[in-house]
Amino acid sequence: MDRAVTAKEDLASRRRYAALQGQSFDGDDLTSVCLPQLWFTRCSFHRADLRHATLDGCHFKLCDLRGANLRGASLRGVSLAGCDLTGADLREADLTGARFGQVRTGNPPHGLSNTTGIKLDRAILRDLELDQVIGWPITR
C-alpha cells in the first residue's frame, strides 16, 4: 500500500521557483522543512508549525501566516508582500535581507503586510527592508 504524502514532503519535493496558489497548510507540521525558493500566492499557513524551517528566498504574496510558529526559522532574503503575520512567532529567526512590503490592491490597509503582535526576541534583523508595514514592533 502506498502511504499518503505529507504536506512537508510535498513542499520539499517541489522544483525551485515552483508557484503555489490558494493552498492551505493551516495547522500543518512543517518543522525543519527546507523549501527550494517557492512562490506562494494567497496560501494559508494559519497556526502552521514552521519551527527551524529553511524558507530562504521564498516569496509570499497575500498569504495568511497568522499565529504561525517560525521560531528559529531561516528567512534569509524572503519576500512577504501583503501578508498577515498577526501573532506569528519569529523568535530566534534569521530575517537577514528579508522584505516586508505591500501589494497595490487598493487603498491601505488593503495590501499591506500586518505584523501586529509578532514575537521577535533574539531574531536577526540585519538588512531588513520594510515598506508600509502595519504593527511593526520596532521603534527607532
Side-chain angles (χ1 to χ4, degrees):
M1 290 183 96
D2 293 331
R3 69 174 181 82
V5 175
T6 66
K8 182 194 259 184
E9 292 168 331
D10 176 47
L11 288 172
S13 70
R14 299 285 178 135
R15 63 177 170 67
R16 191 175 189 183
Y17 306 125
L20 292 93
Q21 294 187 355
Q23 293 192 25
S24 175
F25 304 97
D26 293 349
D28 283 350
D29 177 6
L30 302 171
T31 54
S32 301
V33 70
C34 185
L35 301 184
Q37 298 183 343
L38 301 178
W39 291 65
F40 297 96
T41 303
R42 295 190 185 278
C43 291
S44 182
F45 295 86
H46 185 243
R47 299 207 176 279
D49 190 349
L50 289 151
R51 286 173 295 145
H52 302 285
T54 302
L55 308 174
D56 298 346
C58 286
H59 292 258
F60 296 86
K61 181 178 172 184
L62 299 169
C63 291
D64 181 359
L65 292 134
R66 291 174 296 143
N69 188 348
L70 291 150
R71 188 170 188 164
S74 180
L75 296 145
R76 298 171 66 88
V78 76
S79 173
L80 295 144
C83 295
D84 190 349
L85 289 105
T86 303
D89 186 350
L90 291 158
R91 291 176 290 175
E92 301 162 5
D94 185 352
L95 293 159
T96 300
R99 294 173 306 283
F100 287 73
Q102 62 176 317
V103 175
R104 298 193 198 308
T105 60
N107 292 329
H110 304 292
L112 301 182
S113 289
N114 188 345
T115 61
T116 303
I118 65 172
K119 299 175 186 126
L120 285 170
D121 302 325
R122 295 180 304 281
I124 299 169
L125 306 174
R126 189 175 320 121
D127 299 326
L128 182 67
E129 294 179 31
L130 303 171
D131 180 21
Q132 298 189 32
V133 177
I134 298 170
W136 187 255
I138 297 176
T139 56
R140 295 183 190 234

